[in-house]
Amino acid sequence: MRTGAGLAPAAADAERLLGVAPVVAATAPHPDDFPALPVRDEQAVVWFASYPGAAAVREARDRLAAEPGWRAGAASVQLLELEPTARSALR
């Protein structure tokens, strides 16, 4: 399930686990060569997935919890739920 040093799964695994095709963002592995604007050297992978409701989110979390490969790396993972604000066009 893992690729590289982090939890960046193959697209098919991510879609199977999340139940939707996620958008995956990763930090660029380039050194900071502009000292006037310091940037951390940390590497991160972020998955964004959109669900129609709370039940779909619970189902996705249950699939993740049942996946041995996910549980092995879950100590370094944060699961955050974002909701649109009252004025958002996404409501």
Side-chain angles (χ1 to χ4, degrees):
M1 179 171 114
R2 295 177 186 221
T3 61
L7 285 174
D13 285 341
E15 189 166 348
R16 177 182 58 80
L17 288 172
L18 297 174
V20 297
V23 173
V24 180
T27 53
H30 305 293
D32 181 12
D33 59 358
F34 189 66
L37 182 62
V39 178
R40 295 183 197 173
D41 291 333
E42 299 172 45
Q43 296 296 305
V45 175
V46 180
W47 298 351
F48 294 95
S50 179
Y51 297 95
V57 172
R58 280 191 300 277
E59 290 171 8
R61 283 183 176 259
D62 290 346
R63 280 190 300 276
L64 287 172
E67 176 68 31
W70 171 262
R71 287 194 314 265
S76 63
V77 173
Q78 293 181 5
L79 293 177
L80 305 174
E81 293 182 33
L82 305 175
E83 294 184 12
T85 63
R87 294 177 47 192
S88 173
L90 297 176
R91 287 203 173 262

